[in-house]
Amino acid sequence: MSTSPITIGMFAHVDAGKTTLAEQLLYHTNSIRERGRVDHKDAYLDSHDIERARGITVFADQAVMSYQGTTYYLIDTPGHVDFSPEMERAIQVMDYAVLVVSAVEGVQGHTETVWQLLHKHRIPTFFFINKIDRVGADADRVLEEIRQTLTPDACSITGCLTDQGGVGEALREHIAERDEQLLEMFLSGEVSDAYWLDALEQMIRGSRIFPCASGSALQDTGVLDFLVQLHKLTATNYDKRAPFGGLVYKIRHDLSGVRMTYMKARSGTLKVREELYYSSGGERICEKISRLLLVNGSKLQPVDQVSAGDLFAVVGLTGAEAGQGTGADSDSDKIAYEMVPTLTSKVIFPESLHVKDVLKAFRTLDAEDPSLNVIWEEGLQEIHIHVMGLIQLEVLQQLVQDRFQFDVSFGSPEIMYKETIASTVRGYGHFEPLKHYAEVHLLLEPGERGIGIAFASDCHVNELSLGNQNVIRTHLYERDHHGLLTGMPLTDIRVTLLRGAGHNEHTHGGDFREATFRALRQGLEKADNVLLEPYYEFKIKSEIDHLGKILSDIQRASGRFDPPQTTASHATVTGRVPVATFMDYSAELAAFTHGRGSIQLIFGGYDRCHNEHEVIERKAYRKDADPMYTSSSIFCAKGHGYIVPWDEAEAKMHLL
């Protein structure tokens, strides 16, 4: 068995019984004295008032349990789709996952989403078919459904591990079918129990087999057996002698506002008062660790050091973000997330509150949940946030009240559009009021979907120093840039610095910023601008009788679908559809299929807006009246700066 700690994540579609199973595991390892229940509002891992009031997991909270000499960190993740970003951030630190599936409802839409994320990150996964005590439960049917819709490599382990630690005949055969060497061993019949147990453990760790147990968490049926199986079939091997490397997966603030950075140690050891480095804004930051804390539910235990495999919280880091490596792992790329909000909402607050106080509170929440992407719209004097759905807004409202004592509400969520270009242009910006000077020339090209803004430089260092080129790059990335059609953020564009100029005496810090923004905007004025909207990748399952209506609904929603897969009684349809036209379809599908249809919706990136002219008209954005952006340049003559419109500026550029 492993001597390194093992982190196990608990995942499920909402209401599958994940938190109840976690409570039972904690109880059976003597980590808690009494088993809590979600419906009784006393679950150990749903310790926040919001979670207990709603009966759902909102935050990815962790507990520590010990079983037969091995330490396990258990992370209970949210099952509701509105809190998927919190769930996805936690996946990064899992050694193993337990995916709970209801024996009645079976594989549901969000179950598939979670499975795909676990599969993408190659997290070895155990299935637990729960609620076998319920009317209509059928564990065998659900296991077959898992094999059909998620992975053909799911195998039952219920009753397949012997008391002596061996592997039963049926399970040996299942393993042997997936490995030629094991098949030879199986046919010879001369291999020890220990050999097969080790082979099974290795295949699980390599994500080649996915064990499936069943039981009832509420009735405590099959849970202890499952714990024994987890213990026998999981192992980690972290290097404690290597230099310290860690991964940040969560930011929280305690009651007094102290920032706590939650981390997984992936190698080495870390001690209090040691310095730890990470990257921030392109710079290497080195800060001293003032406290190390092991987190168990709502309890924090100070420790002097942590080692590879540990989950812990650090006090002392001021800028490290979720998804970021530290120490020996600090050069690793920051993780890109797939569960991305597609809605935006305005924060509404009473005039008695100072906007700076409200913005500060939301900046704190933004550090904890970067998917909120809190934006201060200077021209409108408004705070905007990105959200997954209405339930998240309700929870945020309560959270702000509880933590900051602010009464806020939110505007109706709107689709988050973006803009890009479909033609290649050059943009020119010049900024020369009296005693200031900067000129920037940019090449703007359409980029591939999903790249955001990509920057490169073809400017020679003899013309513009590397330091000034980096200043231009930094300014390009410091904020969203408004497109010309609706004022929505610019994306999927390649920006190349062609030329630039400054003045030894008159160029100051903000001059290149002004010239760069004007060059970008001037280029957009000449480009073929395109409005983008978010799309879902969907998968709909229903009885065959409903197929005609579903296909008609997809077409009416401006979506497209692949040829449906059908059996005598059921149909599965996959395809792509705008979020704007399909965001409420789950409820509609449930209504006309009487709850027997299922839908999976995954963010599928941005593409051309299906009703561009209608959206542009509705937004009524006035590109010449945006106080944050201008496409004109400023030149100097006779000791005074004067404005030159974008369509006349190119002729006056000094570098042409």
Side-chain angles (χ1 to χ4, degrees):
M1 290 303 104
S2 167
T3 53
S4 294
I6 300 174
T7 300
I8 296 177
M10 307 291 290
F11 299 86
H13 185 100
V14 69
D15 290 336
K18 161 186 55 65
T19 301
T20 306
L21 178 61
E23 293 287 310
Q24 294 287 11
L25 292 173
L26 292 172
Y27 177 79
H28 283 297
T29 55
N30 298 316
S31 304
I32 56 176
R33 291 178 183 172
E34 293 183 15
R35 290 169 275 209
R37 281 177 55 165
V38 174
D39 53 341
H40 291 177
K41 303 182 180 182
D42 60 357
Y44 185 74
L45 282 166
D46 282 351
S47 57
H48 300 260
D49 290 342
I50 290 170
E51 294 177 309
R52 291 184 165 174
R54 289 183 168 269
I56 60 171
T57 302
V58 173
F59 308 101
D61 282 335
Q62 64 203 55
V64 185
M65 64 186 195
S66 181
Y67 185 71
Q68 295 189 7
T70 300
T71 298
Y72 294 89
Y73 294 103
L74 207 60
I75 300 184
D76 186 24
T77 67
H80 195 287
V81 68
D82 275 20
F83 307 103
S84 297
E86 175 86 353
M87 176 267 291
E88 190 179 1
R89 284 190 293 274
I91 283 179
Q92 324 298 331
V93 296
M94 306 298 182
D95 296 313
Y96 293 87
V98 174
L99 182 48
V100 182
V101 184
S102 167
V104 181
E105 286 82 8
V107 174
Q108 297 169 274
H110 195 54
T111 318
E112 291 195 52
T113 303
V114 172
W115 165 255
Q116 287 171 6
L117 282 173
L118 293 172
H119 190 61
K120 176 194 168 188
H121 292 287
R122 290 193 61 78
I123 308 296
T125 302
F126 289 74
F127 290 97
F128 187 84
I129 299 176
N130 192 28
K131 303 189 177 183
I132 61 170
D133 57 312
R134 288 257 309 274
V135 174
D138 187 339
D140 291 336
R141 171 183 59 79
V142 173
L143 175 56
E144 190 53 39
E145 192 180 348
I146 290 170
R147 287 176 174 152
Q148 293 290 331
T149 59
L150 304 183
T151 171
D153 297 316
C155 64
S156 174
I157 55 171
T158 299
C160 291
L161 296 185
T162 66
D163 293 339
Q164 293 74 36
V167 177
E169 184 79 6
L171 190 50
R172 289 188 190 193
E173 186 175 353
H174 194 87
I175 302 168
E177 287 172 355
R178 283 154 176 77
D179 188 287
E180 284 188 23
Q181 185 180 346
L182 291 176
L183 183 58
E184 288 180 21
M185 295 296 186
F186 176 74
L187 293 174
S188 72
E190 296 179 3
V191 185
S192 68
D193 282 345
Y195 177 89
W196 285 106
L197 193 64
D198 183 62
L200 179 57
E201 189 262 299
Q202 293 287 345
M203 291 191 81
I204 292 168
R205 206 195 307 194
S207 294
R208 295 170 65 195
I209 269 186
F210 302 94
C212 187
S214 59
S216 167
L218 192 60
Q219 303 299 329
D220 197 14
T221 304
V223 176
L224 189 53
D225 287 342
F226 184 53
L227 175 61
V228 172
Q229 291 157 353
L230 276 177
H231 183 65
K232 286 179 178 178
L233 298 174
T234 56
T236 55
N237 186 22
Y238 289 101
D239 187 353
K240 296 183 180 180
R241 292 167 295 186
F244 177 82
L247 179 68
V248 178
Y249 67 98
K250 186 166 69 171
I251 303 295
R252 288 289 180 267
H253 295 81
D254 68 12
L255 294 175
S256 55
V258 174
R259 182 185 175 103
M260 298 170 63
T261 304
Y262 284 66
M263 205 180 298
K264 167 79 170 271
R266 301 204 286 198
S267 62
T269 59
L270 181 67
K271 297 178 181 177
V272 175
R273 291 182 290 280
E274 283 186 344
E275 291 190 331
L276 185 60
Y277 56 90
Y278 59 93
S279 297
S280 180
E283 294 182 32
R284 183 175 161 124
I285 308 293
C286 192
E287 294 178 318
K288 186 175 286 188
I289 303 301
S290 57
R291 295 180 75 197
L292 290 171
L293 302 157
L294 291 183
V295 183
N296 194 353
S298 55
K299 300 171 188 170
L300 302 174
Q301 178 193 345
V303 292
D304 293 328
Q305 77 168 44
V306 290
S307 300
D310 280 332
L311 283 188
F312 56 96
V314 169
V315 177
L317 303 186
T318 58
E321 301 171 8
Q324 186 171 34
T326 63
D329 292 340
S330 60
D331 292 332
S332 56
D333 291 337
K334 194 175 171 191
I335 291 156
Y337 297 107
E338 292 196 10
M339 306 304 286
V340 180
T342 56
L343 302 174
T344 182
S345 180
K346 181 175 78 173
V347 181
I348 300 168
F349 53 92
E351 290 183 4
S352 57
L353 291 176
H354 198 292
V355 66
K356 286 186 177 178
D357 294 331
V358 181
L359 186 57
K360 182 181 177 184
F362 274 89
R363 293 266 188 242
T364 298
L365 295 175
D366 192 49
E368 297 178 358
D369 181 1
S371 71
L372 285 175
N373 196 23
V374 173
I375 296 168
W376 167 243
E377 292 283 4
E378 182 71 38
L380 300 171
Q381 294 286 295
E382 292 176 351
I383 301 168
H384 291 248
I385 60 172
H386 295 180
V387 292
M388 298 290 289
L390 289 170
I391 301 294
Q392 185 184 5
L393 285 179
E394 292 173 10
V395 166
L396 272 171
Q397 187 174 11
Q398 186 64 47
L399 195 61
V400 172
Q401 172 63 49
D402 292 349
R403 285 182 58 178
F404 307 105
Q405 287 74 56
F406 293 159
D407 282 318
V408 301
S409 59
F410 300 95
S412 297
E414 297 180 7
I415 295 295
M416 201 156 56
Y417 295 93
K418 294 188 180 183
E419 297 187 31
T420 190
I421 58 174
S423 58
T424 298
V425 292
R426 295 187 178 214
Y428 302 95
H430 189 94
F431 185 69
E432 192 186 0
L434 188 61
K435 295 185 178 179
H436 289 266
Y437 186 87
E439 183 167 305
V440 172
H441 298 187
L442 301 174
L443 177 70
L444 309 182
E445 301 172 281
E448 302 80 32
R449 291 285 174 265
I451 69 162
I453 294 180
F455 177 79
S457 177
D458 279 348
C459 182
H460 200 282
V461 291
N462 290 346
E463 180 176 72
L464 189 65
S465 72
L466 193 59
N468 280 331
Q469 292 187 36
N470 285 334
V471 165
I472 290 170
R473 181 186 187 279
T474 299
H475 288 317
L476 267 174
Y477 285 124
E478 77 180 36
R479 71 178 187 188
D480 282 339
H481 299 280
H482 293 182
L484 299 189
L485 302 176
T486 59
M488 293 291 103
L490 191 65
T491 190
D492 299 348
I493 183 170
R494 294 189 179 277
V495 180
T496 304
L497 174 63
L498 299 175
R499 304 194 69 183
H503 189 280
N504 287 341
E505 185 180 345
H506 292 146
T507 297
H508 305 291
D511 294 354
F512 276 111
R513 183 179 193 267
E514 288 286 345
T516 300
F517 288 175
R518 291 163 194 267
L520 181 65
R521 190 79 166 184
Q522 199 260 0
L524 292 180
E525 294 277 12
K526 297 181 281 185
D528 177 11
N529 292 276
V530 175
L531 188 65
L532 303 176
E533 68 177 334
Y535 277 72
Y536 284 136
E537 302 281 355
F538 67 80
K539 184 176 186 179
I540 300 173
K541 298 178 189 175
S542 76
E543 294 171 340
I544 196 85
D545 294 350
H546 299 298
L547 180 59
K549 174 169 171 49
I550 289 169
L551 297 182
S552 173
D553 289 347
I554 294 165
Q555 288 177 317
R556 195 170 63 251
S558 301
R560 58 171 181 76
F561 52 83
D562 306 315
Q565 295 178 306
T566 59
T567 65
S569 59
H570 285 78
T572 301
V573 188
T574 57
R576 187 171 167 83
V577 66
V579 170
T581 58
F582 226 59
M583 56 191 296
D584 299 322
Y585 193 67
S586 301
E588 190 178 332
L589 179 73
F592 72 76
T593 64
H594 306 291
R596 289 193 289 273
S598 72
I599 183 169
Q600 178 196 10
L601 299 171
I602 297 178
F603 173 63
Y606 277 77
D607 218 326
R608 291 201 74 138
C609 181
H610 77 284
N611 59 338
E612 183 178 77
H613 296 300
E614 180 188 320
V615 174
I616 291 171
E617 206 170 289
R618 189 174 75 244
K619 292 283 185 185
Y621 175 68
R622 293 169 56 209
K623 65 179 183 179
D624 298 325
D626 190 331
M628 297 278 287
Y629 295 87
T630 179
S631 53
S632 60
S633 282
I634 296 179
F635 289 83
C636 191
K638 300 177 182 177
H640 293 284
Y642 66 98
I643 295 173
V644 176
W646 71 268
D647 52 348
E648 300 173 19
E650 187 174 338
K652 292 181 175 290
M653 291 292 154
H654 292 181
L655 296 176
L656 289 177

